[in-house]
Amino acid sequence: MTRAEEDTHNRGTNRPAPPGGPRPSPPPPGIAPTAPPPPHRPPAHATPTHAAATHPRAATAPTSAAPTHAAPADPAASPAPVVVSEEGLPEWLEPVARTARTVAPQQLSRFLPPERGGRQSAVLILFGEGDHGPELLLMERAGSLRSHAGQLSFPGGALDPEDGDPEGDGLLRAALREAEEETGLDPAGVQIFGVLPRLYIPVSGFVVAPVLGWWRSPSPFRAVDPAETARVFTVPVADLTDPANRATTVHPSGHRGPAFLVESALVWGFTAGVIDRILHFAGWERPWDRDKQVPLDWRS
């Protein structure tokens, strides 16, 4: 997913989590719980959103859960459907799955899709479990690019015709396809367990579906095209929730938004806004200093 639009997105949303609702499952180690989101079910149309070298992680043996992505036996036949399933998820991911089922679009962002128009796209928010516990997959754009050089993002991009209907499973397929093309991961090992409400990026006109994935059978990953991607890497969720790694970015335009200083990089804009909301509504957010500001040129 390109980052041209990230300075237009922040978490200027309905931040407080109203009382009530189910009690969240225990969070990953080192993550303090907060209040869950209010009971709410989004409308049906809201459901279908780096080392430079190959990562040494070896793929684990597949479980009994059915793969969520498979190539059709006959190239001329319709592609196999992409299944959304919470079956077999680790307990610590249940609060994120619940958030996908209950959160309202306006609780994620003040930028919501228009009734008509917008370029349909999707990002893959892929959770795994590594040496330091639960983790999230991110990628960094190449520093030589003419625009958005060095910015961090989720894998993702625009819907292609072969992905199918955006009102069906087209956006799920787009998220998996883009992740494979950008990071080299094997989509057969990814279990899609939910989709957050679609969000809008006004500067580009993108309507973005945040697709939630569990890395059930991890596979090696890398920056497939070094001209586009500098690195692909995982970040421990505990690092994202650490108050010492949190800050607010201030764009020259005056835009303010959440940010994370992790893995020698600054995560900001659209990506940081989505991570911030997931941490909040999953009950993983810890109190942090919102007055701590980091400039976008923080390395200089």
Side-chain angles (χ1 to χ4, degrees), residues 218-241:
S219 56
F221 58 86
R222 62 189 174 86
V224 173
D225 184 356
E228 295 286 337
T229 306
R231 58 177 176 146
V232 182
F233 61 98
T234 58
V235 179
V237 172
D239 288 355
L240 294 168
T241 61

Side-chain angles (χ1 to χ4, degrees), residues 1-295:
M1 183 69 212
T2 61
R3 305 292 308 226
E5 316 78 21
E6 297 205 332
D7 55 335
T8 67
H9 181 91
N10 67 11
R11 69 177 196 283
T13 61
N14 302 333
R15 292 195 57 87
R23 184 179 182 85
S25 299
I31 299 178
T34 61
H40 177 89
R41 186 172 298 277
H45 68 271
T47 302
T49 109
H50 288 337
T54 300
H55 192 278
R57 172 184 292 155
T60 60
T63 66
S64 58
T68 60
H69 180 277
D74 180 1
S78 299
V82 180
V83 178
V84 178
S85 172
E86 297 181 15
E87 182 179 358
L89 288 182
E91 185 180 3
W92 60 264
L93 257 183
E94 197 285 328
V96 182
R98 186 195 63 241
T99 296
R101 297 192 305 266
T102 61
V103 74
Q106 62 270 23
Q107 292 177 300
L108 296 178
S109 175
R110 60 193 174 98
F111 297 115
L112 303 181
E115 292 185 4
R116 294 184 179 181
R119 187 176 182 187
Q120 297 294 326
S121 61
V123 295
L124 180 63
I125 304 175
L126 184 58
F127 290 91
E129 196 154 9
D131 295 339
H132 301 286
E135 60 187 15
L136 195 61
L137 183 72
L138 295 174
M139 51 184 284
E140 180 179 337
R141 292 174 61 82
S144 59
L145 294 177
R146 294 176 57 186
S147 60
H148 322 303
Q151 292 186 11
L152 272 65
S153 68
F154 303 114
L159 183 78
D160 280 354
E162 60 267 27
D163 294 325
D165 185 359
E167 301 305 322
D169 62 0
L171 292 172
L172 307 181
R173 190 171 287 106
L176 291 170
R177 174 185 54 76
E178 286 283 347
E180 181 180 16
E181 292 175 357
E182 292 175 331
T183 75
L185 63 76
D186 182 359
V190 176
Q191 176 180 339
I192 302 300
F193 66 90
V195 185
L196 295 175
R198 298 183 203 181
L199 305 176
Y200 186 57
I201 303 178
V203 71
S204 65
F206 276 95
V207 175
V208 186
V211 177
L212 301 171
W214 159 238
W215 214 344
R216 177 175 43 78
S217 298
S219 56
F221 58 86
R222 62 189 174 86
V224 173
D225 184 356
E228 295 286 337
T229 306
R231 58 177 176 146
V232 182
F233 61 98
T234 58
V235 179
V237 172
D239 288 355
L240 294 168
T241 61
D242 186 345
N245 296 332
R246 303 214 54 181
T248 297
T249 52
V250 182
H251 191 270
S253 65
H255 169 90
R256 296 169 60 91
F260 301 85
L261 288 159
V262 291
E263 298 294 324
S264 302
L266 177 68
V267 186
W268 63 284
F270 175 85
T271 302
V274 173
I275 294 174
D276 172 80
R277 296 288 77 200
I278 290 175
L279 298 181
H280 176 75
F281 286 114
W284 297 347
E285 184 178 36
R286 298 164 59 188
W288 57 283
D289 184 3
R290 301 176 189 278
D291 293 326
K292 175 185 174 181
Q293 296 186 6
V294 177

